[in-house]
Amino acid sequence: CDTISTREVSHMGSEAQTKASVKYNQKKDSITIRPDKDTGAKIRSVAEQRGISVTELIMTALKPYIKEK
C-alpha cells in the first residue's frame, strides 16, 4: 500500500528526536488562557503585526510583573 498510516507518521521521528523533545518539554510549563473569540483574534492580530508569537507577546507584556531569578 502506498499510503502512510497515522501510526506510522507518529513514529517517523528518530529516538534521539523524541528524547530531545521530552527533555525540552520537561523544562517548560503550560498555561492556558481562554479569552472570548474577539479578544483572542485581537491578541493574535497584534502578535502577527509585530512579527512575534502570541507567547512572546504575552511574556513581554507580563515581564514587568515577573521577578527573574
Side-chain angles (χ1 to χ4, degrees), residues 17-64:
Q17 288 171 320
T18 300
K19 285 182 180 180
S21 291
V22 168
K23 185 176 180 180
Y24 174 83
N25 287 326
Q26 286 175 336
K27 296 178 184 178
K28 300 297 177 184
D29 193 1
S30 178
I31 299 172
T32 302
I33 62 169
R34 297 207 178 271
D36 59 64
K37 296 267 187 188
D38 186 50
T39 302
K42 289 175 183 176
I43 292 168
R44 283 188 289 285
S45 177
V46 170
E48 184 177 350
Q49 289 169 13
R50 293 176 183 228
I52 60 176
S53 69
V54 170
T55 298
E56 187 174 353
L57 176 70
I58 293 170
M59 292 302 294
T60 300
L62 293 175
K63 194 156 187 114

